[in-house]
Amino acid sequence: MGAGHMLEAAGVDAEEERVYRFLLGVREADTGGIAAQLGWEAARVESVLAALHGKGLVGRAAEPPAGGPERYVPMAPDAALRPLLLRGHEALEWARRGVEQLAEEYRAGGRRHDAEQLVEVITGASVIRQRLRQMAYGAGEMRWLCKARPVALAAAENDEEWELLARGVRYRTIYERELLEGPGMVDNVARSIRAGEQARAAGTLPVRLVIADSSMAICPLVYESGDVLDGAGASASDGHGDGHGDATERAPGPADRVGEPTAAVIHSSSLLDALIALFESQWAAATPLHVTDSGELADFEDGQNPAVHLADDERYLLSLIVAGVADKAIASQLWVSQRTVQRRIQALMQRAGALTRTQLVWQVAQRGWLTNG
């Protein structure tokens, strides 16, 4: 777009912009004066002025000279152009959505005729890493299952997570406990949580998995031969190398040439739905992690039944919930309002990472909140 035609994106063509700029300089002019200055025919100027008037960029002078021609004045450009720009933005957004819909229809049609498009196999750490980056930058939510080992990818920085969290992308991550024991991992995960990541811990995870929204997932198929043979050396030095917790880099050896890491990219399908269900079941069973006031990561140190500090009245409330006592009866026993009971239950559910009371009861039993302590 040339420097002399800046308003094209707002729906103002080159002729209209030239007349508008002329009026900005002289502040007021009639059709004949504009035509003489620009070297145009009067009919051409009248047509352009009518278009500018329709777009709110020029107005008629309040008091034209007696018997004289009608004169035009420029209007404030920000007030006039903002609605035009908004309409242009809406049109672009509508077009973008249309392109996305057509692209999805194209992919869906291809998947119906070519099963290979449902699952794409990619090989090589750099290729997998690049696909993870592309997937993350196009997502609104990222879900991770982070196994300690074997690790599929070479160590690398994952600076995009901090950027994407700042943009509002939601991260939900489940860490295998062995991974959290790696050097620097506690500080790294605490940093992620402070940045907005929702994190949980599990004793073991069935697979390493990354899901972007509900449209795509990446799951390692074949790990690098060196990692498989030597037990992966899962030091997880930077904690977020392939997303979360990678092996320390080392010089390539003979084993590295035997095979590279291979992963499956799973697109929208029943298989992807099953992987999402797997993640959600692991999420419901995992222990929420949080950062304490002192900046430390808490709620994973004690294995399957992490330490939790419950007040006596909280334990009593939980015992009533587990026993199936109704809110009204609980309120009567605690001498508080029913709304207060519901608020306290919500706080306990949030603490346990439960979405329903049934999940809360299950988490209480799993963690031994009523038996430990």
Side-chain angles (χ1 to χ4, degrees):
M1 186 181 297
H5 187 197
M6 298 171 60
L7 304 182
E8 182 179 6
V12 179
D13 66 29
E15 288 189 346
E16 293 167 354
E17 182 172 345
R18 187 176 179 188
V19 172
Y20 181 68
R21 287 180 178 276
F22 174 78
L23 284 173
L24 287 177
V26 300
R27 304 304 295 176
E28 185 176 323
D30 58 32
T31 301
I34 297 173
Q37 289 295 325
L38 300 183
W40 293 1
E41 294 182 357
R44 182 181 178 188
V45 174
E46 289 175 354
S47 175
V48 172
L49 285 172
L52 289 172
H53 185 268
K55 294 173 181 176
L57 285 168
V58 301
R60 294 180 175 84
E63 297 181 1
E70 197 162 37
R71 299 176 68 80
Y72 294 87
V73 295
M75 307 302 290
D78 52 350
L81 293 178
R82 187 176 291 112
L84 294 175
L85 290 171
L86 288 175
R87 285 197 294 270
H89 176 75
E90 291 171 356
L92 286 174
E93 179 63 18
W94 183 262
R96 183 188 66 80
R97 292 179 181 177
V99 169
E100 289 181 351
Q101 181 179 355
L102 290 173
E104 179 56 32
E105 291 177 6
Y106 171 82
R107 289 190 293 268
R111 288 194 291 269
R112 283 192 294 269
H113 294 87
D114 184 1
E116 290 183 359
Q117 293 192 33
L118 292 175
V119 179
E120 175 188 358
V121 177
I122 55 177
T123 301
S126 61
V127 175
I128 298 173
R129 180 64 184 148
Q130 181 61 29
R131 181 60 67 90
L132 285 169
R133 285 179 180 271
Q134 293 172 352
M135 191 167 71
Y137 275 105
E141 179 184 28
M142 295 292 290
R143 287 176 273 195
W144 284 84
L145 292 182
C146 295
K147 281 184 68 65
R149 55 177 142 189
V151 175
L153 303 174
E157 292 297 331
N158 184 35
D159 294 334
E160 71 266 17
E161 179 177 353
W162 320 123
E163 176 188 346
L164 293 171
L165 282 168
R167 289 186 187 179
V169 177
R170 186 184 184 197
Y171 271 76
R172 288 198 289 155
T173 306
I174 307 174
Y175 296 93
E176 205 168 63
R177 295 185 190 280
E178 182 181 349
L179 180 62
L180 293 171
E181 297 170 0
M185 275 301 299
V186 169
D187 290 340
N188 203 295
V189 174
R191 178 188 175 192
S192 297
I193 294 173
R194 285 194 294 268
E197 179 183 278
Q198 298 178 50
R200 296 190 177 190
T204 58
L205 292 173
V207 68
R208 177 174 284 252
L209 176 67
V210 187
I211 302 171
D213 295 326
S214 295
S215 59
M216 185 184 301
I218 293 182
C219 179
L221 295 176
V222 178
Y223 296 99
E224 191 171 0
S225 58
D227 288 338
V228 173
L229 293 174
D230 66 14
S235 65
S237 59
D238 72 5
H240 283 69
D242 66 331
H244 300 81
D246 297 315
T248 305
E249 289 181 336
R250 52 183 169 77
D256 298 297
R257 293 190 290 270
V258 175
E260 292 186 283
T262 300
V265 181
I266 300 98
H267 299 277
S268 296
S269 60
S270 297
L271 176 57
L272 178 60
D273 294 341
L275 292 175
I276 293 172
L278 171 65
F279 176 90
E280 294 300 338
S281 66
Q282 293 290 325
W283 181 263
T287 302
L289 302 178
H290 69 273
V291 179
T292 65
D293 294 339
S294 60
E296 298 178 349
L297 192 64
D299 276 14
F300 73 87
E301 295 90 342
D302 293 336
Q304 294 291 342
N305 294 313
V308 62
H309 302 290
L310 291 173
D312 290 341
D313 60 339
E314 290 176 320
R315 290 182 184 277
Y316 183 47
L317 173 57
L318 283 173
S319 69
L320 295 174
I321 295 171
V322 170
V325 180
D327 289 358
K328 185 175 181 180
I330 293 175
S332 176
Q333 292 195 42
L334 297 181
W335 293 89
V336 296
S337 69
Q338 191 169 338
R339 180 172 296 181
T340 298
V341 169
Q342 293 169 347
R343 187 174 65 250
R344 291 182 181 178
I345 292 174
Q346 285 295 324
L348 288 168
M349 288 171 59
Q350 183 177 5
R351 217 162 147 188
L355 299 178
T356 65
R357 294 197 184 194
T358 301
Q359 291 182 6
L360 174 60
V361 171
W362 189 87
Q363 291 285 359
V364 168
Q366 283 292 106
R367 302 179 192 192
W369 281 3
L370 296 180
T371 58
N372 296 340

